[in-house]
Amino acid sequence: MNVLVLNAGSSSLKFQVIATDLERIKQNSDERLCRGQVERIGGNAIITLQSGQGARHKSTAPLRDIGAALDYVLKWLTSAESDIPDINSPEDIHAVGNRVVHGGELFSESALITDQVLKGIEDCIDLAPLHNPSNIQGMMAARKIFGQNVPQVAVFDTAFHSSLAEPAYLYAIPYHLYQRHRIRRYGFHGTSHRYVAHRYRALRQLTREQTNVITLHLGNGASATAIRAGKSIDSSMGMTPLEGLVMGTRSGDLDPSLVSLIAMKEGLSANEVDTLLNTQSGLLGISGLSNDMRALCDELHQHDDRRVRLAIEIFCWRARKYIGAYLACMNGADALVFTGGIGENSSTIRARICSGFEWAALKLDEEQNDKLVGTEGEISAEGSKLRAYVIPTDEELLIARDTVRVILGEPHPS
Ligand code: AMP
């Protein structure tokens, strides 16, 4: 089955086509036929397209909206130019898998998109006003192009965390705020945490129930998840993705009174402080230089800048704090799993985060840690009780696989 995976944002559309079915899922032999993205939709869009393992092609075109962007992508997909032998017409796309940011309390697993499911996703718009509307636009554009006969599935970023219990998801604020406005922790990056936990247990040949890990998705957005018996029992992002770890431009945890304090001192509205905490804080805010960890690591190496050093130290300090907290809440874990752009590629940051966990019997294999860049494997030394792994995330693959399973009525994967 050729599954078109869509990730529609406010001005961007990312896509992949993945050939998969139940047998391929079992064999881990799914095939990525192509991938690409359209950015700056609404103006002169920038389009990046890549077939298989071929070269990336960049071009520009005026594209009004997500529908126009998807039209453009489909024309390329079915043309000789894309050179994908299995895709020659729109009929060669058999299903569409959509990334949906927020499923609220309505969706605890991926769902076939029906009018009722669409209505549910719309009901979650007030929980993710920037994301869910774009996700819906992606689905509607696909429905218009492929018609009702091509099934579509929604895969929710929040669904994996629906297993959190009340003590983990409720904030200690008046309970009626939860009842009235659904204010609670939802957690995000669920597809990524779920995927790497799945790969971890495949690598170690464990069952879901035997999977007790702390997954660290460290990218421009960053979150940690405590996974016990294969289920998410706590996650660092909250009602919104602002809470938790230090991120590229997001502050993560802070004293909530700072919002009104900063507003008063700087003459800003609550909304403006929210924007400051989301877009001007984190690595960028502390370093005053960049939100990009690789650029910061290079800068530190070359100039040993004090604020760059601080930004990196605070990033690692916060991650270590969460690991410690989760080890306590989970009654210990078997492994840390690093993923996301930073987690997959930066041996320096992984080493810094892991240092000082000797008390938990975590011992890094430094050579192995330096060697694993963007590839899967163990980075802890022989005899380490708390192990450490690097596992590159692949949210699109999980979306494609869920799409197949939902369409074929397979039970939720163990
Ligand atoms: P993501 O949002 O998952 O794409 O991750 C993006 C982040 O990963 C950026 O901060 C990049 O600088 C960072 N990153 C990628 N490669 C490296 C590397 N080799 N060293 C440090 N950070 C990296």
Side-chain angles (χ1 to χ4, degrees):
M1 198 182 272
N2 296 329
V3 181
L4 173 64
V5 176
L6 294 181
N7 180 357
S10 57
S11 64
S12 68
L13 178 72
K14 293 189 187 130
F15 75 92
Q16 293 194 6
V17 179
I18 296 176
T20 181
D21 52 43
L22 294 178
E23 196 47 40
R24 283 189 192 234
I25 294 173
K26 219 187 287 167
Q27 306 291 339
N28 197 27
S29 64
D30 329 62
E31 192 185 351
R32 205 171 317 258
L33 302 180
C34 63
R35 67 173 87 200
Q37 60 182 26
V38 186
E39 295 160 291
R40 298 203 201 157
I41 295 171
N44 201 23
I46 303 169
I47 304 133
T48 314
L49 303 164
Q50 182 186 20
S51 314
Q53 302 302 318
R56 282 189 200 169
H57 295 285
K58 265 200 166 179
S59 57
T60 58
L63 296 173
R64 197 182 337 112
D65 53 21
I66 287 178
L70 189 56
D71 259 334
Y72 188 99
V73 166
L74 194 70
K75 277 204 188 94
W76 173 77
L77 273 176
T78 53
S79 70
E81 194 194 330
S82 69
D83 195 23
I84 309 171
D86 290 343
I87 302 181
N88 301 302
S89 77
E91 284 80 51
D92 294 327
I93 297 292
H94 306 122
V96 181
N98 296 271
R99 174 179 182 230
V100 179
V101 167
H102 222 303
E105 293 186 326
L106 289 175
F107 298 101
S108 56
E109 50 190 68
S110 305
L112 186 69
I113 296 174
T114 59
D115 287 345
Q116 200 187 349
V117 165
L118 255 178
K119 163 92 180 43
I121 298 171
E122 279 168 8
D123 287 345
C124 296
I125 284 180
D126 68 326
L127 298 171
L130 297 179
H131 296 99
N132 274 28
S134 316
N135 302 154
I136 292 171
Q137 277 173 31
M139 293 168 203
M140 298 316 285
R143 189 182 268 191
K144 199 161 159 219
I145 290 177
F146 298 107
Q148 299 264 19
N149 289 338
V150 173
Q152 292 201 54
V153 170
V155 180
F156 301 91
D157 239 20
T158 48
F160 183 57
H161 306 301
S162 65
S163 44
L164 262 60
E166 282 172 315
Y169 76 66
L170 284 176
Y171 291 114
I173 55 176
Y175 189 73
H176 69 253
L177 293 173
Y178 166 60
Q179 291 170 308
R180 275 190 212 158
H181 308 295
R182 297 181 286 174
I183 292 176
R184 52 160 283 182
R185 173 183 315 286
Y186 290 96
F188 296 89
H189 287 151
T191 314
S192 175
H193 290 291
R194 191 181 134 208
Y195 176 78
V196 298
H198 159 83
R199 281 303 306 156
Y200 165 80
R201 71 171 176 270
L203 283 176
R204 293 203 58 194
Q205 299 188 324
L206 301 171
T207 64
R208 184 177 187 176
E209 287 66 33
Q210 291 170 327
T211 307
N212 299 302
V213 291
I214 297 170
T215 47
L216 297 148
H217 179 112
L218 309 177
N220 198 31
S223 62
T225 295
I227 299 174
R228 193 171 62 198
K231 289 185 178 164
S232 169
I233 63 157
D234 207 349
S235 198
S236 59
M237 284 178 165
M239 169 89 188
T240 76
L242 182 57
E243 194 180 344
L245 303 180
V246 173
M247 309 180 212
T249 61
R250 295 189 193 121
S251 63
D253 292 341
L254 44 73
D255 177 347
S257 291
L258 285 186
V259 175
S260 58
L261 191 84
I262 295 169
M264 191 176 67
K265 298 265 185 204
E266 293 280 310
L268 300 174
S269 68
N271 257 340
E272 286 167 332
V273 177
D274 192 68
T275 304
L276 178 144
L277 296 175
N278 271 292
T279 64
Q280 295 159 44
S281 302
L283 294 174
L284 173 66
I286 303 162
S287 70
L289 201 71
S290 173
N291 64 320
D292 189 290
M293 183 60 97
R294 186 167 21 191
L296 293 179
C297 288
D298 289 348
E299 182 65 24
L300 185 68
H301 189 63
Q302 283 166 21
H303 301 113
D304 196 22
D305 182 88
R306 191 185 87 84
R307 277 174 53 191
V308 168
R309 186 166 3 100
L310 258 184
I312 296 173
E313 275 172 6
I314 296 171
F315 179 92
C316 297
W317 180 267
R318 184 81 53 86
R320 292 163 47 73
K321 233 162 128 168
Y322 266 90
I323 294 169
Y326 286 167
L327 284 172
C329 293
M330 298 167 69
N331 197 15
D334 297 329
L336 308 179
V337 179
F338 288 92
T339 193
I342 300 169
E344 291 166 24
N345 298 302
S346 178
S347 57
T348 314
I349 300 296
R350 293 192 302 245
R352 276 174 177 247
I353 292 175
C354 290
S355 72
F357 276 108
E358 288 79 16
W359 62 271
L362 166 60
K363 205 166 154 274
L364 218 56
D365 179 331
E366 282 168 28
E367 203 177 307
Q368 196 57 16
N369 183 39
D370 287 341
K371 216 159 84 186
L372 285 192
V373 176
T375 48
E376 191 175 83
E378 183 174 358
I379 55 170
S380 44
E382 181 101 24
S384 187
K385 190 158 166 271
L386 176 62
R387 297 183 179 204
Y389 283 77
V390 176
I391 301 185
T393 194
D394 197 339
E395 292 160 273
E396 291 79 10
L397 180 60
L398 191 50
I399 292 173
R401 288 177 171 183
D402 264 16
T403 300
V404 166
R405 291 187 192 111
V406 167
I407 289 170
L408 298 180
E410 280 287 301
H412 201 248
S414 63

